[in-house]
Amino acid sequence: MPAFIEVRDLRKTYVMGREKVHALAGVDLTMESGGFSAIIGPSGSGKSTLLYLVGGLDRPSSGSISVEGQELDHMDENRLALYRQKTVGFVFQSFNLISSMTALENVIFPLRFQPGSARKRRERGLALLKQVGLADRAHHKPTELSGGQQQRVAIARALVNDPHLILADEPTGN
């Protein structure tokens, strides 16, 4: 049985003007299903870059990434979108909440692209907000929430699709 996540010789280089920045230089990583892992290192060491690559939000310069046997480097943009929708839940460092939407609307936003009734989506979102202790803030916009509350909304949104993989960038920030 293949590993849940398998990363081989992963490299990511950004071009900044005349300079090349090597964010990742030959990363190898294997993770089994059901585990919890933390990637630690100093600022600028490539932690966020690695999460974005494993999450299918960016493409490597070279190397391979496989999650649940799915080879991300061979996927087109449509297949990557389906991978993100069905497999990955993200908790971004800056939360990435949509300021014009309420907490509930932010949580259920990923469900808009799946079959199911609006009532079921709303029930799922409210249940998750209750789970993170924010049921009473469901109709508040992000600017009406503290940083910690915004982070909990982002966590609920990451869980809404019942993903197999949750990626959290700087999860202890708030």
Side-chain angles (χ1 to χ4, degrees), residues 4-5 31-38 164-166:
F4 182 67
I5 298 174
M31 292 182 183
E32 298 304 321
S33 181
F36 176 90
S37 299
H164 300 169
L165 173 63
I166 298 172

Side-chain angles (χ1 to χ4, degrees), residues 100-122:
S100 62
M101 292 182 171
T102 65
L104 177 60
E105 291 167 335
N106 269 283
V107 170
I108 64 175
F109 185 74
L111 297 177
R112 295 172 82 179
F113 308 104
Q114 294 185 2
S117 71
R119 185 177 62 78
K120 289 281 187 200
R121 288 194 292 268
R122 181 178 160 77

Side-chain angles (χ1 to χ4, degrees), residues 11 24 44-45 90 92 101 108 114 118-119 122 129 132 137 144 146 149 173:
R11 298 173 187 276
L24 297 175
S45 64
F90 289 97
F92 295 98
M101 292 182 171
I108 64 175
Q114 294 185 2
R119 185 177 62 78
R122 181 178 160 77
L129 284 171
V132 298
R137 309 291 280 175
E144 301 168 326
S146 71
Q149 290 171 326

